[in-house]
Amino acid sequence: MRVNSARLGIALGSGSARGWAHIGILRALEQAGIVPDVVSGTSIGALVGAAYASDRLDLLETWVTGIDWWEIIRYMDLRIGGVEGERLMHAFRERVEDAPIETLLKPFGAVATDLHTGREVWFQQGSLLAAVRASIALPGLFSPVRHQGRWLVDGGLVDPLPVSLCRALGADRVIAVNLNGDIIGRHFSGRPSRRLVKNPLLGRLITGWQTLSGNHAGMAAPALEAESGEDDEPPGLFDVMAGSIHIMQDRITRARMAGDPPDVVLAPRLAHLGLMDFDHAAEAITAGMDCVRRHLPLLREVLDLPDADG
């Protein structure tokens, strides 16, 4: 829906597995008659945004709500330097065909980070899948991407919530979807070994990284140790990595929004989902839809939309 002929944009933020909530956000907005004209995304937001801008959101939703841990593990092709991501991108390509970004149904942009300079890189044209692959290259998980002479990594390092890019693409009003608003300290259990035992992907990843780095003895015992009864058990590798990413992205998001505030911020309740809970897509989608429904009065007021009964 156009708002007084203004172009409405949506900025889809980073958040790893919590990013499936973007699907629910977009679904509920459309059900309410709010259809963004412009889409920008960072990391998982770029992946979902690419599907939405390509009119392939149905195919993406069917895929992610049907995968389990063992299928996710098959996508994780461990190599020196991280997960290559080729199997994952092949699966994504089967649902969302590659195309020049400038030919999509909606203006779309994705954010990546130049590993050498630390500057953000905006993808506004060229290969859609190349843009998504660069934007999701989370350090420590996916290997960096070589593009036009630069090594690129996850855009969440510099711009977890791409409001500025959304405006640059032509949006007059911007809805920002912040996936990291309630996660600082909330998903830190203090008992990382318990989660690793239950989570086969984390176990496989940490074992693979130890093998690649030659560190077999120093990390394997505490990381895969059975549940401890000690409350002061030190955080494990994934708790430290996830907690650090959460803190970094929360602080950067706050700073970026202070400089370029969106018109509306939607923050679904996702603290119960961890960095790698990709098999919980249905929960995340539901949380996204619930968030929109809670904020519909605010959306209608700020975007100057008529009430549902009017």
Side-chain angles (χ1 to χ4, degrees):
M1 172 180 290
R2 297 292 177 91
V3 182
N4 294 330
S5 75
R7 302 183 88 193
L8 178 62
I10 188 163
L12 304 176
S14 61
S16 196
R18 290 183 296 274
W20 300 143
H22 289 315
I23 299 174
I25 293 279
L26 293 166
R27 291 287 189 218
L29 286 174
E30 288 195 337
Q31 289 174 9
I34 303 171
V35 181
D37 303 295
V38 177
V39 185
S40 66
T42 296
S43 195
I44 190 71
L47 188 148
V48 176
Y52 182 64
S54 305
D55 196 24
R56 296 290 189 274
L57 196 62
D58 289 344
L59 294 173
L60 179 67
E61 182 177 3
T62 300
W63 174 42
V64 302
T65 54
I67 58 177
D68 57 22
W69 267 115
W70 300 111
E71 186 171 359
I72 294 170
I73 287 173
R74 288 194 293 270
Y75 295 141
M76 297 295 141
D77 41 347
L78 283 169
R79 310 283 178 84
I80 294 176
V83 176
E84 285 296 315
E86 291 306 316
R87 294 177 188 170
L88 174 65
M89 291 307 299
H90 177 74
F92 183 65
R93 187 182 296 112
E94 291 178 345
R95 282 84 186 175
V96 179
E97 296 181 1
D98 197 12
I101 293 174
E102 57 271 26
T103 66
L104 298 181
L105 299 175
K106 297 177 184 287
F108 171 77
V111 181
T113 302
D114 187 320
L115 188 59
H116 178 67
T117 66
R119 295 175 180 172
E120 61 187 285
V121 176
W122 288 358
F123 284 87
Q124 302 176 73
Q125 57 185 9
S127 167
L128 177 66
L129 295 186
V132 170
R133 177 61 182 88
S135 190
I136 66 172
L138 181 66
L141 181 59
F142 287 105
S143 56
V145 174
R146 188 71 171 174
H147 179 74
Q148 295 183 351
R150 298 180 289 188
W151 285 106
L152 303 181
V153 292
D154 195 295
L157 297 180
V158 290
D159 194 2
L161 192 54
V163 175
S164 297
L165 173 56
C166 199
R167 295 197 192 283
L169 289 167
D172 302 301
R173 304 279 188 90
V174 176
I175 299 171
V177 184
N178 182 12
L179 303 178
N180 303 309
D182 64 346
I183 57 174
I184 298 300
R186 294 283 298 278
H187 198 70
F188 179 73
S189 65
R191 298 170 185 259
S193 56
R194 178 170 21 177
R195 182 163 181 79
L196 285 173
V197 167
K198 293 181 179 179
N199 191 319
L201 176 56
L202 297 189
R204 172 173 172 171
L205 287 176
I206 196 170
T207 300
W209 283 331
Q210 290 166 14
T211 301
L212 293 175
S213 65
N215 183 0
H216 303 283
M219 295 172 60
L224 298 177
E225 178 184 346
E227 178 180 345
S228 170
E230 297 294 330
D231 290 336
D232 59 351
E233 182 181 354
L237 172 64
F238 272 88
D239 268 332
V240 171
M241 184 179 77
S244 300
I245 291 172
H246 294 166
I247 292 169
M248 175 196 71
Q249 295 197 338
D250 177 69
R251 297 300 182 262
I252 296 173
T253 297
R254 291 172 185 265
R256 295 291 300 243
M257 284 200 298
D260 190 2
D263 295 275
V264 179
V265 178
L266 298 178
R269 296 169 181 170
L270 299 165
H272 62 291
L273 294 179
L275 188 73
M276 301 296 294
D277 285 341
F278 289 102
D279 61 330
H280 291 258
E283 292 179 49
I285 291 170
T286 298
M289 298 187 75
D290 289 344
C291 178
V292 172
R293 290 164 183 157
R294 288 195 307 272
H295 291 86
L296 265 181
L298 174 64
L299 285 163
R300 295 189 185 282
E301 178 182 353
V302 173
L303 301 178
D304 195 23
L305 297 173
D307 293 332
D309 58 359

